[in-house]
């Protein structure tokens, strides 16, 4: 299991000369790298997922035109929320009133907030499981729910809400793909730079990381890897990773603080 986080109230050291590899998609990777560099870390980015917006479809147009018929609008990520709002802007000069908006985590909710929409989010946690604990998503008989997400992904939200009586419409807005990196770049990262910490904030990112560097598994599986939830930590353990933490939050500052806390405790 992932290592529990030390008490965040203790004084944290900086990350001077610590080597951190960030495998998030862009632009999040570069933004997070700046936060780690501000704490003194040597930082590289190697996104292991790229997200490609999908072309609009007639099915999407119908859902967007009928937006005011929905009771609940859920986005699974900030990227999904941004794309959804872009599409809504094309069809609705003013967003319909009476909709309940939801973000799986604070990052997604903040996207809605920037558009003047008050979004609900889990009080604790940032997973689909945590979102599904919200009281307003318990009794949904006949309610229409719009779920904005990627082309493929976990079915937990859709399946659970349908079991609770909701009529769920899934709107796939983007697809994820694994980028290509030449072998010499992979060897330079894992053989020369030799990260002490790797940020891999999804199960798919973790799978791509494992597949990317088979010649470096011995060291890679001992490296401190930051994963987003215990579910992904279990997946990582099954794939051979042995040095894992789940951070106190997925925003940039919490990621930096969680890494610093863990390294300090282990020193």
């Amino acid at each position: 299991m992932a290592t529990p986080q030390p008490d965040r109230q203790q004084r944290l050291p900086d990350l001077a000369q610590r080597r951190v590899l960030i495998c998030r998609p862009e632009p999040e990777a570069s933004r997070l790298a700046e936060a780690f560099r501000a704490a003194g870390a040597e930082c590289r980015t190697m996104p292991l997922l790229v997200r490609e917006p999908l072309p609009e479809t007639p099915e999407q147009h119908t859902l967007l035109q009928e937006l005011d018929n929905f009771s609940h609008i859920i986005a699974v990520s900030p990227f999904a929320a941004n794309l959804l709002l872009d599409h809504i802007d094309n069809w609705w000069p003013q967003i319909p009133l009476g909709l309940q908006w939801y973000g799986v985590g604070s990052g997604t909710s903040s996207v809605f907030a920037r558009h003047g929409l008050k979004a609900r989010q889990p009080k604790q946690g940032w997973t689909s499981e945590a979102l599904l604990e919200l009281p307003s998503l318990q009794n949904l008989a006949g309610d229409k729910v719009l779920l904005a997400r990627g082309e493929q992904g976990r079915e937990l939200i859709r399946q659970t809400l349908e079991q609770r009586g909701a009529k769920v419409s899934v709107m796939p807005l983007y697809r994820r793909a694994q980028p290509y990196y030449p072998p010499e770049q992979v060897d330079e990262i894992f053989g020369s730079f030799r990260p002490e910490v790797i940020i891999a904030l999804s199960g798919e990112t973790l799978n791509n990381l494992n597949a990317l560097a088979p010649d470096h598994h011995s060291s890679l599986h001992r490296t401190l890897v930051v994963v987003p939830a215990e579910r992904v930590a279990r997946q990582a353990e099954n794939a051979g990773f042995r040095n894992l933490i789940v951070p106190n939050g997925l925003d940039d500052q919490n990621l930096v603080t969680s890494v610093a806390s863990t390294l300090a405790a282990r020193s």
Side-chain angles (χ1 to χ4, degrees):
M1 287 298 163
T3 302
Q5 290 298 292
D7 183 357
R8 292 180 60 196
Q9 298 303 315
Q10 66 177 308
R11 183 178 179 182
L12 297 177
D14 63 29
L15 290 168
Q17 299 183 343
R18 297 290 194 171
R19 301 182 303 279
V20 179
L21 177 66
I22 297 173
C23 297
R24 301 189 75 179
E26 291 291 5
E28 292 93 333
S30 292
R31 188 192 68 218
L32 180 57
E34 288 305 308
F36 271 101
R37 290 182 184 121
E42 298 179 32
C43 205
R44 300 280 191 91
T45 61
M46 186 179 233
L48 293 181
L49 284 177
V50 293
R51 299 167 302 197
E52 303 168 349
L54 294 170
E56 291 190 19
T57 65
E59 291 78 13
Q60 274 189 12
H61 294 169
T62 299
L63 291 175
L64 291 165
Q65 288 172 324
E66 298 175 352
L67 187 68
D68 55 343
N69 291 329
F70 287 90
S71 300
H72 311 272
I73 313 293
I74 301 173
V76 302
S77 68
F79 193 70
N82 275 310
L83 289 176
L84 174 63
L85 291 171
D86 286 344
H87 286 304
I88 290 174
D89 284 344
N90 292 332
W91 289 91
W92 293 86
Q94 184 173 350
I95 294 178
L97 300 176
L99 304 179
Q100 296 185 55
W101 302 83
Y102 300 83
V104 172
S106 60
T108 307
S109 295
S110 67
V111 172
F112 288 135
R114 288 196 294 272
H115 285 73
L117 303 170
K118 185 177 181 180
R120 305 181 186 198
Q121 67 182 66
K123 291 183 178 179
Q124 293 184 334
W126 47 86
T127 63
S128 299
E129 289 84 352
L131 179 80
L132 291 167
E133 293 295 321
L134 288 173
S136 56
L137 292 178
Q138 301 308 306
N139 302 308
L140 299 172
D143 284 7
K144 295 186 68 175
V145 178
L146 181 64
L147 177 59
R149 66 176 211 186
E151 188 175 43
Q152 296 178 332
R154 298 179 71 198
E155 295 293 337
L156 179 67
I157 294 177
R158 179 185 64 79
Q159 291 173 348
T160 302
L161 296 184
E162 287 179 345
Q163 290 169 2
R164 295 174 181 174
K167 299 177 181 179
V168 181
S169 298
V170 176
M171 181 181 286
L173 294 173
Y174 59 95
R175 64 169 55 96
R176 295 180 293 270
Q178 181 179 359
Y180 169 76
Y181 291 100
E184 56 270 20
Q185 186 174 356
V186 174
D187 289 340
E188 195 279 328
I189 287 287
F190 295 103
S192 298
F193 179 64
R194 293 179 295 109
E196 299 171 82
V197 180
I198 298 175
I199 311 296
L201 297 184
S202 73
E204 192 172 353
T205 298
L206 191 75
N207 290 338
N208 292 346
L209 174 64
N210 217 25
L212 179 71
D215 295 338
H216 299 278
H217 277 183
S218 178
S219 61
L220 181 62
H221 288 171
R222 296 193 304 269
T223 302
L224 180 65
V225 179
V226 182
V227 295
E230 288 294 341
R231 174 184 62 85
V232 181
R234 292 191 293 270
Q235 173 188 333
E237 288 180 335
N238 292 335
F241 293 90
R242 292 292 175 263
N243 193 0
L244 303 160
I245 62 167
V246 175
N248 295 310
L250 299 185
D251 60 281
D252 293 352
Q253 193 54 54
N254 261 314
L255 288 168
V256 173
T257 300
S258 293
V259 168
S261 297
T262 300
L263 293 176
R266 295 183 180 183
S267 297

